[in-house]
Amino acid sequence: MNQLNTIQDDVTTAWIRRYRPSATSTTRLVCFPHAGGSASFFHPLAPRFAPGTDVVSLQYPGRQDRRREPFVEDLESLADLLADEIAALSDKPTVFFGHSMGAALAFETAHRLEQRGTRAPHSVIASGRRGPATVRDEEVHKRDDEGVIEELKKLNGTDMAIFGDEELLRMALPAIRNDYRAIESYRCEQSKTLRAPIVVLTGDQDPKTTRDEAEAWAKHTEGEFRLREFSGGHFFLTEHQDEVNREIETELAAARKAGGHG
C-alpha cells in the first residue's frame, strides 16, 4: 500500500493521469472510466476545471500504455487497488465522478476510504449506472468477439473509428471483455452505504439503466441524494457535457465549502 502524501499534485503515475497538472488547486475531481474505457475519456474535464481543481483520471491496467499489464479480474479487487492509489494523494476536498462501471467503482472505492477514515470524497457522482445492489442477468463477457462488438455499437460509447481498424479493435477487445466480466459478476449488499452524498446522472433512453434502477442509488447513502435525468442513451454525457460540467461544479463548490472529509 502507498503511504500518504507520496504522490504530489503535479505528478502522473501508471494509475493517476493528470492532463493539466496544477500545484495550486484547492479541490480535486477523481474520474473513474467505464468498461473498456481509459483515462483519456475524461481529458476534456481537465481544461474545464484546472487549475483550481486537480483533475485526476484513473487508468486501469490492461489498456493503452498499460496493455501489457495483467487485468484485474474483479471489481472489488480493483477498488482495493484504487483506494490505495487515492489514499496516497494529498488531502483536499474531493469529488468522485464515475460513468457506468466507473460509477460502481467510485462507490466501492469511496466506501473503502470511508472505512479507513482517510481521503474519502465529499460526494460521489454516479453516471449511467443503476444502483449498486440492482442486478441484471447480463453475460456480455461470455459472447464471442462479434457479440461484444455488437454491444459496444448499441451503447455507442466507443470511438466509432475503432471499428474500422481491425488491429486496434483486436487489441482493445481483451480489456473490454475483462471489464464486462468484472462488472457483470459484481454484487453489492443492499445495506452497504456511504456517508457521502450521492448524485446520480442518467439518460432517459439508457438501455442499461431505468429511472427506477437509477433511483435505487438513494438506498446507498446516509447523506443527501439527488437524481438528474438527461435526454439520450447510455453515453448521454457526451451530448450534454456543459450541463454535466455544471453538476460537477456544484459538487466541487459544495466540497470546497465543507472542506471535505478524510
Side-chain angles (χ1 to χ4, degrees):
M1 182 185 300
N2 289 321
Q3 299 300 309
L4 295 183
N5 294 322
T6 59
I7 301 176
Q8 300 302 311
D9 288 356
D10 57 353
V11 170
T12 289
T13 72
W15 292 88
I16 304 294
R17 303 301 164 93
R18 289 176 163 113
Y19 300 110
R20 290 287 182 91
S22 172
T24 61
S25 58
T26 58
T27 55
R28 176 174 293 120
L29 177 66
V30 180
C31 303
F32 296 72
H34 53 279
S38 60
S40 58
F41 180 76
F42 295 105
H43 187 282
L45 294 180
R48 169 63 178 80
F49 293 104
T53 296
D54 176 27
V55 180
V56 168
S57 298
L58 298 172
Q59 185 80 313
Y60 313 142
R63 68 213 64 219
Q64 292 187 333
D65 58 327
R66 301 191 71 186
R67 64 183 179 276
R68 298 187 186 282
E69 298 181 37
F71 299 123
V72 180
E73 296 187 351
D74 67 277
L75 192 134
E76 298 273 358
S77 296
L78 185 53
D80 288 339
L81 294 167
L82 291 171
D84 288 348
E85 295 298 320
I86 293 168
L89 298 174
S90 63
D91 188 12
K92 62 183 62 184
T94 296
V95 172
F96 283 3
F97 178 77
H99 183 69
S100 196
M101 180 185 81
L105 266 174
F107 171 78
E108 287 291 341
T109 305
H111 187 267
R112 283 155 173 74
L113 293 171
E114 285 191 350
Q115 295 298 105
R116 295 182 189 185
T118 184
R119 304 303 188 261
H122 171 268
S123 61
V124 173
I125 303 174
S127 168
R129 181 69 190 174
R130 53 191 177 270
T134 305
V135 178
R136 289 188 185 186
D137 185 18
E138 296 177 320
E139 295 186 330
V140 174
H141 71 279
K142 293 183 178 180
R143 299 181 187 178
D144 60 17
D145 287 354
E146 294 306 314
V148 175
I149 292 169
E150 185 61 33
E151 178 74 7
L152 297 176
K153 289 180 177 178
K154 182 175 73 174
L155 297 181
N156 199 28
T158 302
D159 183 348
M160 299 307 287
I162 195 173
F163 296 112
D165 188 325
E166 181 74 14
E167 183 178 1
L168 188 61
L169 179 59
R170 298 301 165 186
M171 285 175 59
L173 274 175
I176 295 168
R177 186 183 300 280
N178 178 78
D179 288 354
Y180 270 105
R181 180 188 301 111
I183 191 58
E184 289 175 348
S185 63
Y186 168 62
R187 296 294 180 268
C188 174
E189 295 179 0
Q190 289 277 1
S191 59
K192 183 178 283 189
T193 60
L194 299 180
R195 295 188 294 276
I198 295 177
V199 176
V200 172
L201 310 180
T202 189
D204 62 2
Q205 300 297 316
D206 188 348
K208 290 292 188 179
T209 306
T210 67
R211 185 180 178 94
D212 285 347
E213 288 174 327
E215 288 177 343
W217 279 98
K219 303 173 184 176
H220 295 276
T221 177
E222 299 165 21
E224 295 181 5
F225 172 79
R226 179 163 56 86
L227 184 146
R228 174 83 186 276
E229 189 174 63
F230 296 85
S231 62
H234 190 60
F235 282 89
F236 65 88
L237 72 174
T238 60
E239 304 164 27
H240 299 280
Q241 189 65 67
D242 289 343
E243 293 171 271
V244 171
N245 286 347
R246 284 194 287 272
E247 296 290 337
I248 294 171
E249 179 52 46
T250 295
E251 294 309 304
L252 288 170
R256 190 180 302 114
K257 183 177 181 180
H261 43 275

